[in-house]
Amino acid sequence: MNNNGAGSSSGSGDASPARRNSKRPKYSRFTQQELPACKPILTPQWVISVFTLVGIIFVPIGVAALLASNDVVEIIDRYDAVCVPQNMTNDKVGYIQNDAIDKTCTRRIKVPKDMNQPIYVYYQLDNFYQNHRRYVKSRNDGQLRDRSKENDTSGCDPEKTTSNGVPIVPCGLIAWSLFNDTYNFTRGNKALTVNTTDISWKSDRDHKFGDDVFPKNFQNGNLTGGKKLDPNKPLSQQEDLIVWMRTAALPTFRKLYGRIEVDLKENDTITVTLKNYYNTYSFSGKKKLVLSTTSWLGGKNNFLGIAYLTVGGLCFFLATTFTVVYLVKPRKLGDPSYLSWNRNTGGH
Amino acid sequence: MAGGRRKKNFLRKLYSFSCGKASLDEDHSQIGGPGFSRIAFANDPDCFEATNLGYPANYVSTTKYSLATFFPKALFEQFRRVANIYFLVTGCLSFTPLAPYSAVSAILPLIIVIGVTMAKEAVEDWRRYQQDNEMNNRKVKVHRGDATFDDTEWKNLRVGDVVKVEKDNFFPADLLLLSSSYEDAICYVETMNLDGETNLKLKQSLEVTSNLQDDSNFRHFKAVVRCEDPNANLYTFVGSLEYQDQQYPLSPQQLLLRDSKLRNTDYVYGVVIFTGHDTKVMQNATNPPSKRSKIERKMDKIIYFLLFSLVLISTVGSIFFGIATDDDIENHRMKRWYLRPDDTTIFYKPSEAAVAALLHFLTAMMLYSYFIPISLYVSIEIVKVLQTIFINNDHEMYHEESDKPAHARTSNLNEELGQVDTILSDKTGTLTCNSMEFIKCSIAGTAYGLGVTEVEKAMARRKGSPLLYEPDVEEEGHRDNNKPAVKGFNFTDNRVMNGNWVNEPHADIIQKFFRLLAICHTAIPETDDESGKISYEAESPDEAAFVIAASELGFQFYQRTQTNISIHELDPLSGKTVERSYRLLNILEFNSTRKRMSVIVRDEEGKLLLLSKGADNVMFERLAKDGRKFEDKTKEHMHNYADAGLRTLVLAYRELDEDEYAVFNEKFTEAKNSVSADRDEKVEEAADSIERDLILLGATAVEDKLQNGVPECIDKLAQAGIKIWVLTGDKMETAINIGFACSLLRQGMKQIIITLESPEIKLLEKDGNKDAIFKASKESVIHQITEGRKMTSSSDSQSFALIIDGKSLAYALEDNVKNLFLQLAVTCASVICCRSSPKQKALVTRLVKEGTGKVTLGIGDGANDVGMLQEADIGIGISGVEGMQAVMSSDVAIAQFRFLERLLLVHGHWCYRRIASMV
């Protein structure tokens, strides 16, 4: 009956229905896999030149990055242990938790090199797990942003409400444990002003922290965590809070405290008068004060430069090795006799 | 309406009464034992007994799910994957406060992934449902009582209904043929949907029912059919018909199978015997075997590994978490005060750190769930479907003549195609195109036929000698210009052609020879009304070739009725064409155990003739003492033919005397009428008793043509490092020659032949001591294998070919020998197993698959390859001439062997690379 079908359609004198009747697959360059394709073959010349090229590009970048990083002047001063009075070194926690003791502490820092403004002031905490799951989740973004959601404290356990059930703004463990050491810098007799504005992300100020949300019932519980906030300043202006609320991913982290907008000369001595309020003693964390300039690459960081140099060097090394191998023992490209099965029968 | 119903009820009473009587009879009859218990009350489906039998209706459903079971079943299928179970568990957990993220983000991907796959299932099933619906609602005429036939839907048919099927319609169920529009109650059936064979098959009803040719005959028709239980065997049927208080035996000749088509016949009447899922075609329907590709199995392992590492990470994490949490309060002092460990829920409580750690473990399991690539499964599915589309659409795998593109039936084995190590191939229909050409014959010890076979050409090429037969070929070409070539006929010899045989020395034998060719077959002539040309529908291409050859040589077979065969033949005395008809008395059918077929006819002079043709080994031992006149010569010729890659058959005849025939006929009819399991054996025994003392006429040789491009394809595959094994049922010589023809065997190859044809074994066989034969054969096989091992290990530059015959293979596949055999076989470049049975094919495939651990590919086209295809890692069916069974059980179907090259080397390569680079 196949004949039948073909016969009738050819009888009508039209070729196209006959073609449609057949099961011949439709032609298209896609189904026939005839689309143009490009597939590089890894010839020795190609490989060597690519490696060389990568080396040539990477090594200078690495050198530049290292140089930039070396230009950065960084002063780190650990003060958590030193600021404890001699008689309290066996009971640091007792010292820090005793409000009666004056927490003022003075440090002198010598500037090793000229530092150009802006000089960034950071505090660095150690062994502080801002990334703990309970800690990270303990906040309510809606409440921070929106005045109408003031009473929304979901997710803020265990710092939702005060003991008498009034919602806390801002709620949650993060806000509650806000860093509260303060630093004052003087050079000679002249105070160095620390600019603490514009230290947070602009997007955070504009969108995440409302300018009509004011702290309420904050740090009123029986256990005070960290800094108290000025209830008359909206959250969008509490930049130290905003910086703090952007939680760090690692247990050792720096957070921006402010900027000194004056150049510092080599061998200047800076006196830092700090209030050592924050309790890192109970979890044996460290506190450090960091002053740092920046380069075009940011702060001091040798890693990037070293990484570039390593990769670049490796590429150079491989390129030379391949060149040597290629020159000493060349082999024909695409020779099927090198295939494993051919080699087996031939080699045995 | 009411009246009609009352009448019906009344009728029903009558029926049940008569049926009750019938069931009394049943107690006395021998059939009805286990396996043969089916009863159909013809024209009486309403009677009490019939309704009690509880046979299913003719409604056929091939859907996997029903509306109610879809969700549970499909979900169950989905969650058999480890990854899905894992994601379900995490999904459930994510609703608890343990969850590190919101429940939606855990559940959503899972829902999407499962939803997509289930939607695919649902759409596929819906399509199947629609197909079923279309099928179930086809109309057929069914007897409604009072000799009226009404249209009804297929699904309403019940066992026992009498239906009338008209020309070019499908049979709605398995029917028992009662009568047809022809006087002798024959009908022609096309079974394309069943086995893909396009030739017409002749079916014939019992003589007792053949007169029921009119609707009105069925008013009072009553009969009871007893037969075997539903089974999947398409070609057997055992049953009996009780009609007018007499028992009549039924055979497959009377069975019309569902999904086959009535052709060339105006109408037939039949009784529904098997309905719905009991029909043979439905019993045959099997789902494609679920094979999984290596990459999938590997991916499962990777998932398990990932799951393990996930648990490990979570465990380590939660241990540390536990320690840290435990430390948080020491001597009532908070260490990490900023976490307020004094005011916590259970998850962080330092006083119950162990519990907290355990809960943390669960959380971590969810948190790290990105370890398990859930989308990978879906992406792989999509990529595979695309690859299948590429395979199906490839123009270079589309066969113009048969209008068949490649068809990948399962998508999950695509990339395995690129990993094939061993190909196990069938010969007939796979390497060769299974179209036979009558090329040579040997009559009365004289060889006729000058054609050159491809094998001979290949051999000539191999020897490097110039073609000896060149002039003949030219002559042949010249002749072809004058006369249009006839398909299946490539015989040239002026001594016998154009009636010249009359002048040959043994003209009478030549006459008998061609007459036998024209009579001894089961082909059906079809006369084209316009041109008057006769074409033949034969069961096998060999037969077609014989009939065509006979008609080309002046013995034109032109008509077949139930009892007569008519041929135009040349009368040697008058030199004119005369019509002769032979009364056909019995057909002793061909099957693979008998390897021969015979017909018993009475010619116009009243002489009884037994005409027989068959394989050489069975025929030569059946020759009469005085019938062996040309035996040696014929054997020699046959040997030459086999060398030339031709298929040979021996032709012989014998005259019967009336008494002998009467005895045989009684025995034979009795055997045929018995309805029991050993009926086939009885028939065979009866046939065996008469097929003796034959007189040899000669032998035929037909060429089994190689498919296009097979040698090139095999060459390329061999270059690609793929080993090719040929498993064939042919004789060793034929197999070797085909091997040479398709460049499987090459000149430089050393052949290791393992056979049991050694003189000692033959001697033992004559003694008939079975144990001794067994022992000796086994020893001989082991010895030959070890010899071969030595040969292969001693020289390493040469490539080897192993050729083993079926008998030796049986020993070589035994448990303690098979490893030895495998070791030998894998060192050989090509392996040919000849005379192997389907079972052996499957066993060899399993041996290779399990022994080497490499990917095997089975390729074949016939029902005898099904085992091999299912056993192999990938089964490829050739959708050729021998039927659809191989295709139904294959994973990929292609039209020609040469497409294998593109399928493996191009698509397999692409698929593997693409899947690999995607994962």
Side-chain angles (χ1 to χ4, degrees):
Chain A
M1 6 123 264
N2 252 346
N3 284 340
N4 236 347
S8 67
S9 54
S10 62
S12 69
D14 195 349
S16 66
R19 172 161 291 183
R20 201 162 303 140
N21 280 342
S22 95
K23 288 181 197 141
R24 186 182 174 87
K26 280 203 201 87
Y27 177 84
S28 84
R29 284 176 60 171
F30 179 64
T31 57
Q32 298 310 311
Q33 300 276 288
E34 287 167 1
L35 292 174
C38 170
K39 200 179 223 172
I41 296 171
L42 296 175
T43 62
Q45 289 91 334
W46 252 103
V47 172
I48 291 167
S49 48
V50 165
F51 271 128
T52 319
L53 192 72
V54 171
I56 288 172
I57 296 170
F58 274 36
V59 170
I61 294 178
V63 170
L66 265 187
L67 286 178
S69 172
N70 278 338
D71 276 350
V72 172
V73 187
E74 197 175 70
I75 306 167
I76 301 173
D77 180 54
R78 179 178 169 187
Y79 64 88
D80 62 304
V82 194
C83 286
V84 180
Q86 288 292 315
N87 55 348
M88 299 288 281
T89 41
N90 292 328
D91 186 18
K92 291 174 185 162
V93 181
Y95 152 79
I96 202 79
Q97 284 178 341
N98 191 343
D99 291 340
I101 303 172
D102 179 32
K103 301 285 170 26
T104 313
C105 175
T106 313
R107 306 282 305 151
R108 287 175 194 284
I109 300 167
K110 214 174 148 199
V111 179
K113 256 190 197 172
D114 282 359
M115 290 171 90
N116 296 332
Q117 61 107 357
I119 299 157
Y120 292 93
V121 180
Y122 302 94
Y123 53 90
Q124 177 173 338
L125 293 182
D126 200 52
N127 203 21
F128 189 103
Y129 288 85
Q130 266 204 320
N131 57 0
H132 192 279
R133 200 144 48 84
R134 176 172 160 90
Y135 187 83
V136 169
K137 288 205 294 186
S138 185
R139 62 191 286 165
N140 188 316
D141 286 329
Q143 189 204 40
L144 296 173
R145 183 170 54 237
D146 203 338
R147 184 175 193 159
S148 58
K149 289 186 186 158
E150 240 177 26
N151 296 334
D152 180 8
T153 55
S154 62
C156 282
D157 282 329
E159 289 293 329
K160 267 179 163 172
T161 56
T162 58
S163 47
N164 43 16
V166 194
I168 300 170
V169 185
C171 71
L173 278 176
I174 312 177
W176 176 73
S177 60
L178 177 60
F179 187 72
N180 59 356
D181 285 6
T182 57
Y183 311 108
N184 281 302
F185 298 87
T186 46
R187 183 170 54 175
N189 302 328
K190 236 180 108 197
L192 293 171
T193 44
V194 178
N195 185 358
T196 56
T197 57
D198 203 20
I199 54 173
S200 58
W201 294 14
K202 191 169 185 306
S203 61
D204 281 1
R205 287 197 300 270
D206 292 350
H207 303 293
K208 295 198 122 182
F209 291 81
D211 54 7
D212 55 351
V213 185
F214 295 90
K216 260 184 208 164
N217 310 316
F218 191 65
Q219 304 287 25
N220 278 352
N222 46 10
L223 194 64
T224 309
K227 192 182 172 181
K228 296 192 167 149
L229 294 173
D230 181 357
N232 297 319
K233 251 166 110 180
L235 289 185
S236 62
Q237 287 173 33
Q238 313 255 13
E239 292 207 37
D240 46 354
L241 177 75
I242 297 175
V243 170
W244 182 255
M245 295 282 281
R246 195 153 274 285
T247 50
L250 295 173
T252 303
F253 60 89
R254 284 176 189 181
K255 288 207 176 288
L256 193 55
Y257 181 81
R259 282 187 310 270
I260 299 175
E261 285 164 335
V262 192
D263 289 350
L264 296 180
K265 294 279 169 285
E266 192 175 338
N267 293 329
D268 278 0
T269 308
I270 298 164
T271 315
V272 188
T273 315
L274 55 87
K275 302 278 184 195
N276 184 16
Y277 292 133
Y278 205 67
N279 178 10
T280 56
Y281 302 106
S282 53
F283 56 88
S284 43
K286 296 171 203 155
K287 284 193 283 192
K288 287 170 187 166
L289 173 68
V290 179
L291 297 179
S292 169
T293 58
T294 53
S295 68
W296 55 271
L297 259 176
K300 193 172 184 69
N301 192 351
N302 288 337
F303 177 79
L304 193 67
I306 290 169
Y308 267 109
L309 276 181
T310 317
V311 173
L314 202 67
C315 286
F316 268 130
F317 172 73
L318 286 174
T320 42
T321 327
F322 284 150
T323 319
V324 169
V325 168
Y326 181 60
L327 290 177
V328 171
K329 200 182 166 195
R331 69 178 240 183
K332 206 178 135 220
L333 188 73
D335 188 347
S337 67
Y338 286 108
L339 292 172
S340 58
W341 57 87
N342 291 336
R343 217 165 14 191
N344 272 345
T345 51
H348 267 280
Chain B
M1 197 57 202
R5 177 156 297 171
R6 200 181 302 144
K7 191 174 172 188
K8 220 174 184 177
N9 283 341
F10 173 66
L11 277 174
R12 185 172 291 173
K13 266 184 209 156
L14 267 181
Y15 289 160
S16 58
F17 176 66
S18 66
C19 288
K21 216 171 109 198
S23 74
L24 265 178
D25 284 346
E26 185 206 5
D27 295 338
H28 301 290
S29 86
Q30 291 101 331
I31 33 167
F36 296 92
S37 60
R38 199 176 178 92
I39 307 173
F41 297 95
N43 207 11
D44 200 6
D46 285 323
C47 85
F48 178 67
E49 270 75 13
T51 44
N52 254 6
L53 288 169
Y55 293 136
N58 201 29
Y59 183 85
V60 164
S61 154
T62 57
T63 54
K64 253 190 191 160
Y65 316 104
S66 72
L67 214 58
T69 60
F70 175 73
F71 270 96
K73 260 174 126 179
L75 279 176
F76 175 74
E77 280 293 315
Q78 285 302 311
F79 286 119
R80 278 165 57 172
R81 276 186 181 157
V82 204
N84 282 350
I85 278 281
Y86 165 74
F87 278 101
L88 182 72
V89 171
T90 48
C92 291
L93 282 175
S94 67
F95 284 104
T96 66
L98 277 172
Y101 41 74
S102 71
V104 180
S105 59
I107 282 290
L108 201 68
L110 182 71
I111 287 180
I112 291 175
V113 165
I114 289 185
V116 166
T117 19
M118 271 174 66
K120 191 184 123 208
E121 289 275 290
V123 168
E124 278 176 5
D125 217 43
W126 175 249
R127 288 218 190 105
R128 255 175 258 149
Y129 172 73
Q130 281 180 326
Q131 270 177 6
D132 289 347
N133 235 358
E134 191 262 329
M135 192 87 116
N136 285 324
N137 286 323
R138 283 191 198 160
K139 294 280 197 311
V140 67
K141 282 205 165 76
V142 67
H143 186 228
R144 285 272 177 238
D146 277 347
T148 52
F149 279 79
D150 280 345
D151 275 340
T152 184
E153 278 99 28
W154 280 22
K155 61 182 173 196
N156 297 332
L157 286 183
R158 286 161 304 168
V159 174
D161 272 331
V162 172
V163 294
K164 180 181 183 180
V165 180
E166 279 159 0
K167 193 172 179 174
D168 290 339
N169 279 328
F170 288 101
F171 300 116
D174 286 356
L175 307 178
L176 176 73
L177 178 63
L178 292 176
S179 57
S180 76
S181 55
Y182 289 109
E183 279 291 312
D184 46 5
I186 55 166
C187 70
Y188 297 94
V189 171
E190 186 191 81
T191 54
M192 186 125 112
N193 285 354
L194 291 177
D195 52 17
E197 294 173 24
T198 49
N199 56 345
L200 298 185
K201 297 207 173 65
L202 182 77
K203 299 275 179 179
Q204 186 172 33
S205 82
L206 296 174
E207 275 196 50
V208 275
T209 57
S210 62
N211 57 344
L212 302 166
Q213 282 189 333
D214 197 64
D215 286 3
S216 57
N217 295 122
F218 288 93
R219 191 184 299 264
H220 301 297
F221 173 74
K222 277 280 147 8
V224 178
V225 180
R226 281 161 225 279
C227 62
E228 57 187 13
D229 285 343
N231 61 52
N233 206 332
L234 288 177
Y235 304 108
T236 62
F237 175 70
V238 178
S240 75
L241 174 77
E242 187 185 311
Y243 179 54
Q244 291 166 347
D245 290 337
Q246 275 218 294
Q247 294 270 355
Y248 301 94
L250 299 173
S251 71
Q253 265 302 295
Q254 282 91 40
L255 193 66
L256 307 173
L257 298 175
R258 182 189 169 111
D259 276 356
S260 50
K261 206 176 192 179
L262 184 66
R263 306 269 299 180
N264 275 7
T265 315
D266 291 335
Y267 57 86
V268 294
Y269 292 103
V271 179
V272 177
I273 305 178
F274 297 120
T275 48
H277 288 278
D278 288 344
T279 55
K280 301 233 174 202
V281 61
M282 296 311 292
Q283 295 269 321
N284 254 308
T286 47
N287 294 325
S290 86
K291 295 177 183 172
R292 307 186 68 203
S293 73
K294 255 189 188 166
I295 249 186
E296 219 168 311
R297 271 173 276 169
K298 195 156 201 172
M299 215 167 73
D300 259 17
K301 273 187 209 145
I302 292 173
I303 297 266
Y304 277 117
F305 172 73
L306 287 177
L307 207 60
F308 171 74
S309 43
L310 173 62
V311 171
L312 190 75
I313 289 173
S314 304
T315 315
V316 171
S318 55
I319 286 172
F320 279 105
F321 174 82
I323 292 169
T325 310
D326 192 39
D327 270 359
D328 269 349
I329 289 187
E330 213 170 44
N331 304 325
H332 304 287
R333 261 192 173 164
M334 289 184 279
K335 279 183 102 180
R336 293 191 288 182
W337 57 269
Y338 52 92
L339 298 174
R340 292 296 300 263
D342 59 325
D343 181 15
T344 65
T345 51
I346 182 70
F347 302 121
Y348 307 101
K349 204 158 228 166
S351 51
E352 287 166 74
V355 182
L358 196 72
L359 293 169
H360 179 82
F361 171 76
L362 294 175
T363 312
M365 289 284 283
M366 283 185 260
L367 200 58
Y368 300 134
S369 66
Y370 301 100
F371 252 70
I372 313 285
I374 186 170
S375 63
L376 189 62
Y377 280 113
V378 180
S379 328
I380 285 183
E381 259 338 274
I382 293 171
V383 168
K384 283 184 169 176
V385 167
L386 279 176
Q387 288 173 343
T388 326
I389 293 172
F390 285 141
I391 290 177
N392 291 349
N393 279 323
D394 196 332
H395 272 210
E396 288 178 43
M397 294 202 296
Y398 167 73
H399 192 228
E400 197 82 49
E401 282 117 76
S402 61
D403 189 28
K404 270 175 187 147
H407 179 51
R409 285 160 40 86
T410 42
S411 61
N412 44 2
L413 290 168
N414 292 341
E415 72 276 351
E416 288 282 273
L417 290 172
Q419 300 292 294
V420 172
D421 181 74
T422 314
I423 295 177
L424 298 127
S425 171
D426 174 40
K427 186 186 78 70
T428 315
T430 308
L431 299 176
T432 60
C433 44
N434 202 22
S435 77
M436 301 293 170
E437 281 189 351
F438 186 86
I439 277 203
K440 294 180 186 201
C441 60
S442 156
I443 308 168
T446 318
Y448 297 99
L450 302 172
V452 186
T453 66
E454 266 180 56
V455 178
E456 279 175 323
K457 282 179 207 161
M459 272 202 287
R461 258 204 312 274
R462 201 166 76 237
K463 281 175 189 148
S465 62
L467 264 181
L468 292 170
Y469 299 94
E470 203 85 69
D472 286 338
V473 175
E474 269 170 27
E475 191 185 308
E476 191 188 357
H478 182 67
R479 195 185 61 86
D480 281 350
N481 288 344
N482 303 337
K483 203 176 162 187
V486 181
K487 193 176 172 275
F489 184 72
N490 192 13
F491 182 84
T492 36
D493 198 326
N494 281 328
R495 284 174 292 172
V496 275
M497 293 187 76
N498 304 326
N500 292 341
W501 55 269
V502 188
N503 309 320
E504 284 291 301
H506 294 284
D508 57 327
I509 296 183
I510 296 178
Q511 184 189 17
K512 279 177 186 150
F513 182 88
F514 288 123
R515 190 183 285 158
L516 194 153
L517 284 185
I519 295 173
C520 179
H521 54 73
T522 52
I524 303 155
E526 253 184 73
T527 314
D528 191 344
D529 293 333
E530 289 164 31
S531 62
K533 265 198 151 181
I534 295 172
S535 59
Y536 300 99
E537 299 273 358
E539 270 176 27
S540 73
D542 301 59
E543 275 201 339
F546 288 144
V547 185
I548 291 166
S551 87
E552 289 295 314
L553 293 170
F555 292 80
Q556 193 184 38
F557 160 61
Y558 72 95
Q559 197 191 0
R560 172 193 284 276
T561 64
Q562 172 117 30
T563 49
N564 273 312
I565 288 178
S566 310
I567 56 178
H568 293 291
E569 65 174 60
L570 195 68
D571 188 26
L573 300 176
S574 62
K576 277 183 192 157
T577 307
V578 292
E579 271 181 37
R580 301 193 77 160
S581 76
Y582 295 84
R583 194 169 158 74
L584 186 63
L585 299 172
N586 298 92
I587 296 180
L588 314 179
E589 274 164 28
F590 181 88
N591 69 34
S592 53
T593 46
R594 278 164 44 80
K595 288 184 179 160
R596 61 184 182 272
M597 93 164 262
S598 310
V599 291
I600 299 173
V601 294
R602 192 187 292 277
D603 67 8
E604 286 178 340
E605 287 107 56
K607 263 195 289 184
L608 278 169
L609 290 172
L610 172 83
L611 306 174
S612 185
K613 64 179 181 190
D616 51 353
N617 49 356
V618 285
M619 291 299 282
F620 278 124
E621 66 194 32
R622 293 181 178 276
L623 294 180
K625 286 227 166 64
D626 54 345
R628 293 174 179 263
K629 202 166 149 197
F630 318 111
E631 189 184 357
D632 293 339
K633 277 263 179 179
T634 312
K635 269 191 174 168
E636 190 195 317
H637 289 149
M638 286 182 70
H639 191 74
N640 290 342
Y641 294 157
D643 275 350
L646 300 172
R647 281 195 185 201
T648 55
L649 279 183
V650 174
L651 271 56
Y653 83 107
R654 139 178 213 215
E655 283 179 26
L656 301 173
D657 54 45
E658 293 292 337
D659 298 342
E660 199 181 358
Y661 176 70
V663 171
F664 159 77
N665 196 27
E666 194 184 332
K667 202 168 162 191
F668 186 66
T669 338
E670 189 193 328
K672 269 204 145 177
N673 291 358
S674 71
V675 186
S676 58
D678 60 345
R679 168 181 153 162
D680 292 342
E681 284 160 40
K682 280 187 188 168
V683 171
E684 209 169 294
E685 206 182 297
D688 194 55
S689 68
I690 195 115
E691 288 170 332
R692 288 173 187 285
D693 303 327
L694 302 169
I695 295 163
L696 181 68
L697 287 172
T700 57
V702 288
E703 183 180 15
D704 198 356
K705 296 210 85 168
L706 274 186
Q707 282 187 7
N708 282 342
V710 166
E712 293 85 352
C713 175
I714 288 184
D715 235 17
K716 285 234 176 78
L717 292 175
Q719 272 175 29
I722 297 172
K723 294 197 189 75
I724 300 172
W725 294 36
V726 173
L727 313 175
T728 170
D730 277 317
K731 267 175 290 193
M732 184 175 277
E733 294 79 28
T734 326
I736 292 175
N737 281 313
I738 290 287
F740 273 113
C742 58
S743 74
L744 197 59
L745 301 175
R746 280 181 298 272
Q747 214 173 1
M749 276 184 173
K750 187 129 191 158
Q751 293 178 18
I752 302 167
I753 298 178
I754 297 175
T755 173
L756 287 177
E757 300 285 304
S758 60
E760 305 97 69
I761 306 279
K762 275 194 176 158
L763 214 69
L764 275 173
E765 265 171 17
K766 273 195 182 144
D767 289 352
N769 184 342
K770 272 189 183 161
D771 286 344
I773 295 174
F774 180 79
K775 224 175 149 188
S777 319
K778 192 160 173 180
E779 265 167 23
S780 149
V781 168
I782 295 177
H783 177 71
Q784 287 180 55
I785 291 177
T786 31
E787 281 292 298
R789 284 284 292 158
K790 271 184 211 154
M791 263 163 63
T792 50
S793 50
S794 60
S795 68
D796 40 29
S797 56
Q798 227 165 358
S799 55
F800 291 88
L802 176 71
I803 296 138
I804 185 166
D805 71 356
K807 267 193 212 160
S808 325
L809 197 58
Y811 295 105
L813 288 176
E814 273 177 26
D815 276 343
N816 43 0
V817 195
K818 71 180 181 191
N819 283 327
L820 203 63
F821 169 63
L822 186 69
Q823 280 169 13
L824 171 62
V826 291
T827 52
C828 296
S830 41
V831 180
I832 297 179
C833 305
C834 18
R835 292 273 189 224
S836 50
S837 66
K839 182 95 187 292
Q840 279 180 336
K841 287 184 182 184
L843 282 176
V844 170
T845 313
R846 186 181 303 164
L847 178 68
V848 178
K849 189 172 80 174
E850 283 168 5
T852 63
K854 303 251 176 70
V855 182
T856 54
L857 178 142
I859 179 162
D861 73 325
N864 56 346
D865 306 318
V866 169
M868 180 169 88
L869 298 188
Q870 284 179 341
E871 192 64 55
D873 289 317
I874 312 165
I876 297 203
I878 302 269
S879 42
V881 239
E882 249 191 65
M884 295 299 280
Q885 278 195 341
V887 174
M888 298 297 268
S889 57
S890 68
D891 304 307
V892 184
I894 53 179
Q896 294 258 294
F897 185 80
R898 65 190 146 104
F899 297 147
L900 194 62
E901 178 192 329
R902 189 170 168 82
L903 186 67
L904 293 191
L905 303 185
V906 179
H907 283 287
H909 175 76
W910 278 348
C911 292
Y912 191 73
R913 279 199 72 129
R914 286 170 180 176
I915 280 277
S917 56
M918 197 203 73
V919 174

